[in-house]
Amino acid sequence: MSTESIGSDPGGPAPQATDPGRGHAREHGHGHDHIHPAPSHFLTKYVFSQDHKIIGIQFLFSGLIFFVLGGLLAMAIRWQLAWPWKPLPILGSALWSSPSLGYQMPPEFYNKLFTMHATIMIFFVIIPLLTGAFGNFLIPLMIGARDMAFPKLNMFSYWFMWPAFVLITYSFFVEGGSSEAGWTGYPILSIAKWATPGSLNGQTFWLMALLFAGVSSLMGSINYITTIVMLRAPGMRMFRMPMTVWAMFITAILQAFALPVLTSALIMQLLDRTAGTNFFSPVGWQVANSPPVVGGGGPLLWQHLFWFYSHPAVYIMILPAMGMVSDVIATFSRKPLFGYKPMVIAIAGIAGLGFIVWGHHMFQSGMNPALGATFMLSTMMIALPSAIKVFNWLGTMWGGRIQYTSAMLNAMAFVAMFIIGGLSGIFMAATPVDILIHDTYFIVGHIHYVLFGGSTFGIFAAIYYWYPKMFGRMMSERLGLIHFFLTFVFFNGTFFLMHIIGMHGHPRRIADPLVYEYLNRAGVIGMNQFMTINAFLLGLSQLIFAYNFLASLFLGPKAPVNPWHANTLEWGTSSPPPHYNFARIPTVYHPPYEYSVPGVEQDFLPQTEPLPPGIVLDPVMA
Amino acid sequence: MRYWSVVFALAAIFSVGAFVYAPLSGDWWLPNPSGDMHHSVSSFGREIDSLFVIILVITGVVFIGTQVVLVWEAYRFADRVDDAGRPVRQARYFHGSQRLEVIWTIIPAAILVFIALYQMGTWANIKFRSAAPKVQPTAEVTARQFQWIFRYPGPDRKLYTPDDLYTVNDFHFVKDRMTLINLRSSDVIHSFFLPHMRIKQDAVPGMIIPVWFDSDTAGHFELVCAELCGWGHYKMRGNVTVHASDEEFAKWQADLLAEQNRSQLSMATDNQGR
């Protein structure tokens, strides 16, 4: 392909001087490009906004607020494990007014802690932050659209989170307290009202909250898919989209297919609890001297339905982070992303295989063990695309000119920690080894390396990277580096030894490990205390981030249009972007990762700039 | 700036160090009877332990390899500027390599398939119903909030007859025998976990699940509930006694029978007195 043809053919119809902004115009049924004025009223501008950027920021703030709550619950969990039945520092006497029991935490409260910690972190922090905040903010900007395909639906997707926020928060105060059946909500513990205090009313609130959160996600995912398919700027072919957009696109598809299954399962459990159906309850069980139940269902049905969503959900919680980290690593290595197409195929592969691995959560459940053997193979295979992605990130950095910004360091931590989370997954996929480590702290360590070491470092990287675009101000790099350093150190201190106590047989979800002799040994107790101290320091380190985030909103230096010298479209419009994103819909001339192209004066080449004459792109990408 | 590589190196050293130290310490390694660190007490346990070690070695090599590359890159390719403030090096411009992609797809795929196939046999031996030992069940185990109820065959050596014996949170079987139990739950899901024998099986209401295992060491062990089952989940603990011989087990059973008859007798007397 000659240079000239690249310059003049952006891959779609030839761009015209007055490009009509096709998707937008079609939606309105008129053929000229016009820009709606920004709403001027406070309510329509900031509260019930239909602007994807405001909605993204709304998701960002909501998610970060719940992050604080989820983190505090985690610290209370760690306290109990390190010093069982010692009253919580400061809070102990305020929460339980029973000096006779020494202000101890009741065991059912411990169960509430880990149930709500996981529920909040997964459904109210990670998913809303990754897809809600960054999906909303970035997708239209990165593909060169003025907004989402369905702005009103987008507004509803945020406001459907509010019933979920209210219900989950209120559930702490209902009779019996919040849910305590684990974030997996396994029946019969979750459906028998007297099985445990949290199953009295808290579980119903939990189910309702998840239903609303699910509806919100579904609205978002439909919007993302439509927007990405319909509203790309001229020249933005699918294989010219940044990895972030690819990851969000495939995540949205994953969500659209998996969520209905969870929704139906949640409704079935709700009916079991409130309408006397027996989807998940077999014949002849009884709880706490209740009369035996006339059943006909089975608890394993819930597990199949739940994990059919919730295993793909693990990828919903990591794929967008993978996409964003790919962008950050390429930008700060000043190099093209290594193996762009294999990366896209790997994401698609993870999504496809993600649907046939749910059974590995059920190896010890009583499911037919022959099924276990097939799920073992599919689970082993899903490690493969993850490995490909890791090698490609390492390949991207190779020969680069690595700039240690806060965003880059968090992205590198993502890679380093995701390797640990991925490799420990192989132990679980191996069915015989899973017999020992299933439901132990090994699993807890694994999931935290994926979801904190992975997703959360991904979220931090994304916040440091896109903050200037979101708020028009720069964050303090110095504070960012300190925050990264402390977070990285204390994160490893908190979670790594979980693998060790897990393989020593430490079960998860037990309020007091000292009940068991084989855990009542100096090594295990010492490790638990070490982890707890690290967890508290990890929590404290986040104050630096909170300060940096909030103070920079007002005091940070004004952000330039393109502070990182990146190529993708969002860096071509002002910081923060105007209501309509682009004064003129941009035209895209080449793939997003053309850094350090030989012969180009600067070390970056924005997607909107035609190739200078005489420059030939690498044939792999052309 | 390039010293950021040290931070990543330290994390990797800490991780590897923990797993290198683990086998040296009884508290850090796989569950073991005190004083006998590298020894699981059951034949399944030994198979699982060796699979664990194989996977640990494979993942350990991959881990060290990838971390070394990462740390090396973080050191070698850090951005540096000369005195004039210009970058010393230009980043290399390449988009990838088809050959490398193929290599690092095929090799991990082969390793993963190997791991999967290599352990199918062990899985089948431990869990497939067809592999269950052809013996009479030693006990029926019923889990309920928050205790383990054991029902043993009485003098007629048959389960589910009127002379069955019962214990709570007290499990007995004989050394060097493949022992079979029928696992049930009467309320919520529990999980029957023998850490020292590397056995775990959920007890599911509405299902009767056969579980089998052995032990080559007589002594006292623990039974754990591994599935969240309510507020008292943490204390759902059982004692496990592995008897050295059939005679010892028979004597324990005889004592239990005598004890049980005595309490039935006293219950009968109580009723007469009413």
Side-chain angles (χ1 to χ4, degrees), chain A residues 331-350:
Chain A
T331 304
F332 292 118
S333 299
R334 312 311 295 168
K335 267 193 65 213
L337 188 70
F338 192 98
Y340 171 84
K341 277 179 188 168
M343 289 286 253
V344 173
I345 293 164
I347 291 188
I350 290 175

PDB file of all heavy atoms in Angstrom, chain A residues 331-350:
ATOM      1  N   THR A 331       1.388   3.967  25.651  1.00  0.00           N
ATOM      2  CA  THR A 331       1.676   5.401  25.687  1.00  0.00           C
ATOM      3  C   THR A 331       2.995   5.685  26.407  1.00  0.00           C
ATOM      4  O   THR A 331       3.829   6.438  25.919  1.00  0.00           O
ATOM      5  CB  THR A 331       0.548   6.156  26.404  1.00  0.00           C
ATOM      6  OG1 THR A 331      -0.675   5.862  25.745  1.00  0.00           O
ATOM      7  CG2 THR A 331       0.795   7.653  26.392  1.00  0.00           C
ATOM      8  N   PHE A 332       3.164   5.062  27.572  1.00  0.00           N
ATOM      9  CA  PHE A 332       4.336   5.405  28.377  1.00  0.00           C
ATOM     10  C   PHE A 332       5.554   4.555  28.049  1.00  0.00           C
ATOM     11  O   PHE A 332       6.604   4.733  28.645  1.00  0.00           O
ATOM     12  CB  PHE A 332       3.996   5.341  29.866  1.00  0.00           C
ATOM     13  CG  PHE A 332       3.026   6.423  30.266  1.00  0.00           C
ATOM     14  CD1 PHE A 332       1.776   6.116  30.764  1.00  0.00           C
ATOM     15  CD2 PHE A 332       3.361   7.762  30.103  1.00  0.00           C
ATOM     16  CE1 PHE A 332       0.885   7.112  31.115  1.00  0.00           C
ATOM     17  CE2 PHE A 332       2.476   8.765  30.444  1.00  0.00           C
ATOM     18  CZ  PHE A 332       1.232   8.435  30.948  1.00  0.00           C
ATOM     19  N   SER A 333       5.401   3.607  27.109  1.00  0.00           N
ATOM     20  CA  SER A 333       6.595   2.967  26.572  1.00  0.00           C
ATOM     21  C   SER A 333       6.991   3.654  25.274  1.00  0.00           C
ATOM     22  O   SER A 333       8.035   3.337  24.705  1.00  0.00           O
ATOM     23  CB  SER A 333       6.341   1.479  26.298  1.00  0.00           C
ATOM     24  OG  SER A 333       6.015   0.815  27.480  1.00  0.00           O
ATOM     25  N   ARG A 334       6.146   4.555  24.810  1.00  0.00           N
ATOM     26  CA  ARG A 334       6.337   5.261  23.547  1.00  0.00           C
ATOM     27  C   ARG A 334       6.543   4.269  22.416  1.00  0.00           C
ATOM     28  O   ARG A 334       7.406   4.442  21.551  1.00  0.00           O
ATOM     29  CB  ARG A 334       7.542   6.219  23.612  1.00  0.00           C
ATOM     30  CG  ARG A 334       7.596   7.111  24.807  1.00  0.00           C
ATOM     31  CD  ARG A 334       6.328   7.832  25.101  1.00  0.00           C
ATOM     32  NE  ARG A 334       5.929   8.809  24.076  1.00  0.00           N
ATOM     33  CZ  ARG A 334       4.721   9.383  24.022  1.00  0.00           C
ATOM     34  NH1 ARG A 334       3.799   9.057  24.898  1.00  0.00           N
ATOM     35  NH2 ARG A 334       4.446  10.247  23.077  1.00  0.00           N
ATOM     36  N   LYS A 335       5.745   3.212  22.419  1.00  0.00           N
ATOM     37  CA  LYS A 335       5.922   2.153  21.412  1.00  0.00           C
ATOM     38  C   LYS A 335       4.562   1.664  20.959  1.00  0.00           C
ATOM     39  O   LYS A 335       3.597   1.721  21.717  1.00  0.00           O
ATOM     40  CB  LYS A 335       6.673   0.967  22.028  1.00  0.00           C
ATOM     41  CG  LYS A 335       8.169   1.004  21.830  1.00  0.00           C
ATOM     42  CD  LYS A 335       8.747  -0.342  22.194  1.00  0.00           C
ATOM     43  CE  LYS A 335       8.251  -1.393  21.233  1.00  0.00           C
ATOM     44  NZ  LYS A 335       8.080  -2.694  21.854  1.00  0.00           N
ATOM     45  N   PRO A 336       4.461   1.119  19.757  1.00  0.00           N
ATOM     46  CA  PRO A 336       3.205   0.483  19.361  1.00  0.00           C
ATOM     47  C   PRO A 336       2.915  -0.703  20.273  1.00  0.00           C
ATOM     48  O   PRO A 336       3.838  -1.369  20.749  1.00  0.00           O
ATOM     49  CB  PRO A 336       3.472   0.008  17.930  1.00  0.00           C
ATOM     50  CG  PRO A 336       4.642   0.792  17.462  1.00  0.00           C
ATOM     51  CD  PRO A 336       5.466   1.093  18.679  1.00  0.00           C
ATOM     52  N   LEU A 337       1.639  -0.952  20.497  1.00  0.00           N
ATOM     53  CA  LEU A 337       1.252  -2.111  21.295  1.00  0.00           C
ATOM     54  C   LEU A 337       1.690  -3.377  20.572  1.00  0.00           C
ATOM     55  O   LEU A 337       1.429  -3.554  19.388  1.00  0.00           O
ATOM     56  CB  LEU A 337      -0.265  -2.124  21.471  1.00  0.00           C
ATOM     57  CG  LEU A 337      -0.810  -3.168  22.437  1.00  0.00           C
ATOM     58  CD1 LEU A 337      -0.429  -2.805  23.859  1.00  0.00           C
ATOM     59  CD2 LEU A 337      -2.317  -3.263  22.304  1.00  0.00           C
ATOM     60  N   PHE A 338       2.376  -4.245  21.299  1.00  0.00           N
ATOM     61  CA  PHE A 338       2.869  -5.472  20.681  1.00  0.00           C
ATOM     62  C   PHE A 338       1.680  -6.393  20.394  1.00  0.00           C
ATOM     63  O   PHE A 338       0.920  -6.736  21.293  1.00  0.00           O
ATOM     64  CB  PHE A 338       3.839  -6.165  21.642  1.00  0.00           C
ATOM     65  CG  PHE A 338       4.628  -7.286  21.024  1.00  0.00           C
ATOM     66  CD1 PHE A 338       5.920  -7.061  20.568  1.00  0.00           C
ATOM     67  CD2 PHE A 338       4.081  -8.553  20.897  1.00  0.00           C
ATOM     68  CE1 PHE A 338       6.653  -8.095  20.008  1.00  0.00           C
ATOM     69  CE2 PHE A 338       4.815  -9.577  20.333  1.00  0.00           C
ATOM     70  CZ  PHE A 338       6.106  -9.346  19.887  1.00  0.00           C
ATOM     71  N   GLY A 339       1.533  -6.789  19.117  1.00  0.00           N
ATOM     72  CA  GLY A 339       0.494  -7.764  18.765  1.00  0.00           C
ATOM     73  C   GLY A 339      -0.911  -7.271  19.034  1.00  0.00           C
ATOM     74  O   GLY A 339      -1.651  -7.856  19.809  1.00  0.00           O
ATOM     75  N   TYR A 340      -1.285  -6.176  18.360  1.00  0.00           N
ATOM     76  CA  TYR A 340      -2.611  -5.597  18.577  1.00  0.00           C
ATOM     77  C   TYR A 340      -3.712  -6.600  18.246  1.00  0.00           C
ATOM     78  O   TYR A 340      -4.606  -6.849  19.067  1.00  0.00           O
ATOM     79  CB  TYR A 340      -2.724  -4.340  17.707  1.00  0.00           C
ATOM     80  CG  TYR A 340      -4.092  -3.707  17.631  1.00  0.00           C
ATOM     81  CD1 TYR A 340      -4.517  -2.818  18.615  1.00  0.00           C
ATOM     82  CD2 TYR A 340      -4.945  -3.982  16.568  1.00  0.00           C
ATOM     83  CE1 TYR A 340      -5.759  -2.219  18.537  1.00  0.00           C
ATOM     84  CE2 TYR A 340      -6.195  -3.388  16.475  1.00  0.00           C
ATOM     85  CZ  TYR A 340      -6.599  -2.515  17.465  1.00  0.00           C
ATOM     86  OH  TYR A 340      -7.837  -1.934  17.380  1.00  0.00           O
ATOM     87  N   LYS A 341      -3.629  -7.208  17.070  1.00  0.00           N
ATOM     88  CA  LYS A 341      -4.707  -8.138  16.694  1.00  0.00           C
ATOM     89  C   LYS A 341      -4.748  -9.370  17.592  1.00  0.00           C
ATOM     90  O   LYS A 341      -5.824  -9.767  18.036  1.00  0.00           O
ATOM     91  CB  LYS A 341      -4.593  -8.514  15.214  1.00  0.00           C
ATOM     92  CG  LYS A 341      -5.224  -7.450  14.341  1.00  0.00           C
ATOM     93  CD  LYS A 341      -5.123  -7.769  12.869  1.00  0.00           C
ATOM     94  CE  LYS A 341      -5.596  -6.545  12.088  1.00  0.00           C
ATOM     95  NZ  LYS A 341      -5.267  -6.644  10.653  1.00  0.00           N
ATOM     96  N   PRO A 342      -3.606 -10.000  17.888  1.00  0.00           N
ATOM     97  CA  PRO A 342      -3.663 -11.110  18.861  1.00  0.00           C
ATOM     98  C   PRO A 342      -4.274 -10.690  20.195  1.00  0.00           C
ATOM     99  O   PRO A 342      -4.966 -11.482  20.836  1.00  0.00           O
ATOM    100  CB  PRO A 342      -2.192 -11.503  19.033  1.00  0.00           C
ATOM    101  CG  PRO A 342      -1.544 -11.092  17.769  1.00  0.00           C
ATOM    102  CD  PRO A 342      -2.271  -9.882  17.289  1.00  0.00           C
ATOM    103  N   MET A 343      -4.035  -9.446  20.600  1.00  0.00           N
ATOM    104  CA  MET A 343      -4.617  -8.970  21.857  1.00  0.00           C
ATOM    105  C   MET A 343      -6.139  -8.949  21.753  1.00  0.00           C
ATOM    106  O   MET A 343      -6.849  -9.352  22.674  1.00  0.00           O
ATOM    107  CB  MET A 343      -4.111  -7.563  22.175  1.00  0.00           C
ATOM    108  CG  MET A 343      -2.660  -7.500  22.584  1.00  0.00           C
ATOM    109  SD  MET A 343      -2.424  -8.114  24.252  1.00  0.00           S
ATOM    110  CE  MET A 343      -2.118  -6.593  25.126  1.00  0.00           C
ATOM    111  N   VAL A 344      -6.648  -8.452  20.605  1.00  0.00           N
ATOM    112  CA  VAL A 344      -8.100  -8.417  20.419  1.00  0.00           C
ATOM    113  C   VAL A 344      -8.653  -9.834  20.417  1.00  0.00           C
ATOM    114  O   VAL A 344      -9.653 -10.140  21.081  1.00  0.00           O
ATOM    115  CB  VAL A 344      -8.453  -7.691  19.101  1.00  0.00           C
ATOM    116  CG1 VAL A 344      -9.932  -7.813  18.819  1.00  0.00           C
ATOM    117  CG2 VAL A 344      -8.038  -6.233  19.179  1.00  0.00           C
ATOM    118  N   ILE A 345      -7.961 -10.711  19.687  1.00  0.00           N
ATOM    119  CA  ILE A 345      -8.437 -12.095  19.618  1.00  0.00           C
ATOM    120  C   ILE A 345      -8.397 -12.736  21.007  1.00  0.00           C
ATOM    121  O   ILE A 345      -9.289 -13.490  21.393  1.00  0.00           O
ATOM    122  CB  ILE A 345      -7.575 -12.895  18.607  1.00  0.00           C
ATOM    123  CG1 ILE A 345      -7.822 -12.348  17.196  1.00  0.00           C
ATOM    124  CG2 ILE A 345      -7.905 -14.381  18.669  1.00  0.00           C
ATOM    125  CD1 ILE A 345      -6.782 -12.770  16.194  1.00  0.00           C
ATOM    126  N   ALA A 346      -7.359 -12.394  21.792  1.00  0.00           N
ATOM    127  CA  ALA A 346      -7.260 -12.970  23.139  1.00  0.00           C
ATOM    128  C   ALA A 346      -8.438 -12.516  23.999  1.00  0.00           C
ATOM    129  O   ALA A 346      -9.017 -13.320  24.740  1.00  0.00           O
ATOM    130  CB  ALA A 346      -5.941 -12.554  23.792  1.00  0.00           C
ATOM    131  N   ILE A 347      -8.803 -11.252  23.896  1.00  0.00           N
ATOM    132  CA  ILE A 347      -9.949 -10.774  24.683  1.00  0.00           C
ATOM    133  C   ILE A 347     -11.211 -11.514  24.259  1.00  0.00           C
ATOM    134  O   ILE A 347     -11.988 -11.995  25.090  1.00  0.00           O
ATOM    135  CB  ILE A 347     -10.149  -9.254  24.508  1.00  0.00           C
ATOM    136  CG1 ILE A 347      -8.997  -8.508  25.164  1.00  0.00           C
ATOM    137  CG2 ILE A 347     -11.461  -8.817  25.143  1.00  0.00           C
ATOM    138  CD1 ILE A 347      -9.211  -7.012  25.211  1.00  0.00           C
ATOM    139  N   ALA A 348     -11.402 -11.633  22.939  1.00  0.00           N
ATOM    140  CA  ALA A 348     -12.578 -12.346  22.454  1.00  0.00           C
ATOM    141  C   ALA A 348     -12.540 -13.797  22.923  1.00  0.00           C
ATOM    142  O   ALA A 348     -13.570 -14.373  23.288  1.00  0.00           O
ATOM    143  CB  ALA A 348     -12.635 -12.271  20.931  1.00  0.00           C
ATOM    144  N   GLY A 349     -11.332 -14.385  22.932  1.00  0.00           N
ATOM    145  CA  GLY A 349     -11.192 -15.772  23.381  1.00  0.00           C
ATOM    146  C   GLY A 349     -11.558 -15.931  24.844  1.00  0.00           C
ATOM    147  O   GLY A 349     -12.246 -16.874  25.234  1.00  0.00           O
ATOM    148  N   ILE A 350     -11.095 -14.983  25.662  1.00  0.00           N
ATOM    149  CA  ILE A 350     -11.431 -15.033  27.084  1.00  0.00           C
ATOM    150  C   ILE A 350     -12.940 -14.958  27.254  1.00  0.00           C
ATOM    151  O   ILE A 350     -13.548 -15.716  28.018  1.00  0.00           O
ATOM    152  CB  ILE A 350     -10.744 -13.878  27.850  1.00  0.00           C
ATOM    153  CG1 ILE A 350      -9.242 -14.117  27.910  1.00  0.00           C
ATOM    154  CG2 ILE A 350     -11.305 -13.762  29.257  1.00  0.00           C
ATOM    155  CD1 ILE A 350      -8.459 -12.971  28.530  1.00  0.00           C
TER     156      ILE A 350
END
